[in-house]
Amino acid sequence: MLILASTSPYRRELLQRLRLPFETARPEVDETPLRGESPGQLVRRLARAKADAVAARHPGAWVIGSDQAADLDGRILGKPGGREAALAQLAAMGGRSVQFHTAVCLRRGDHELAAVDTTRVRFRALAAAEIERYVDAEQPFDCAGSFKCEGLGIALFEAIETHDPTALVGLPLIALAGLLRQAGYAVP
């Protein structure tokens, strides 16, 4: 059995691309950053915690945990949750480069496999009216960094530098496919 420790529709849609049967489960993990925790440390810890929480309820199953955070000069930018926070995040990122750290952890019992992807996004200079039009059109309130690169958000960028384009959406499928092969899955 394969379980995605997430209720994210974005991660579920990404995992479906691998055409493996899986279930989803809510991990019930506190996602509050720890004092002094870097964005990279945060996503590693949370991906592991999510996989651990669901694996404890489903012994014998392989469980996938994943987490993502935006890193603006070492400051963690998570999901905005609402319009004003999304506007502020995008205004802060306009004309700048932001790193997005996406971790994935595959766990069954004591066996753990993990990987982290870092994607660099170069935002173009953004006028306040552009940001407002974008946020009102796509309402990316549940997305780290306040955009959906798979949608209209792509118009906000000058470039995306990545080893895995799915990582920016929330689940690094290239890394995950490798972890699943290590675990014995036939992918593809």
Side-chain angles (χ1 to χ4, degrees), residues 4 7-17 22 24:
L4 176 62
T7 56
S8 164
Y10 310 110
R11 288 192 178 108
R12 184 180 62 246
E13 288 173 19
L14 285 170
L15 186 54
Q16 287 172 341
R17 291 184 189 183
F22 70 94
T24 61

Side-chain angles (χ1 to χ4, degrees), residues 44-66:
R44 284 181 192 90
R45 178 178 61 81
L46 291 179
R48 176 177 288 131
K50 291 173 183 181
D52 289 351
V54 172
R57 298 191 314 257
H58 299 276
W62 282 103
V63 179
I64 302 165
S66 186

Side-chain angles (χ1 to χ4, degrees), residues 57-160:
R57 298 191 314 257
H58 299 276
W62 282 103
V63 179
I64 302 165
S66 186
D67 199 74
Q68 181 181 69
D71 177 347
L72 180 61
D73 300 328
R75 190 177 89 217
I76 297 169
L77 299 179
K79 298 172 186 172
R83 185 178 190 274
E84 293 308 313
L87 295 172
Q89 280 189 359
L90 288 169
M93 293 185 294
R96 316 241 347 250
S97 288
V98 181
Q99 292 186 44
F100 286 79
H101 304 278
T102 310
V104 62
C105 177
L106 182 63
R107 169 167 303 286
R108 182 176 72 183
D110 291 336
H111 195 76
E112 177 186 299
L113 302 166
V116 178
D117 179 89
T118 301
T119 297
R120 188 173 129 189
V121 176
R122 286 189 289 142
F123 286 82
R124 60 185 186 77
L126 301 170
E130 291 178 298
I131 295 170
E132 287 184 23
R133 280 195 311 272
Y134 170 70
V135 168
D136 291 343
E138 205 151 56
Q139 300 182 358
F141 308 138
D142 62 344
C143 301
S146 303
F147 65 83
K148 296 178 183 179
C149 67
E150 68 276 24
L152 183 59
I154 200 73
L156 304 173
F157 311 141
E158 287 182 354
I160 298 173

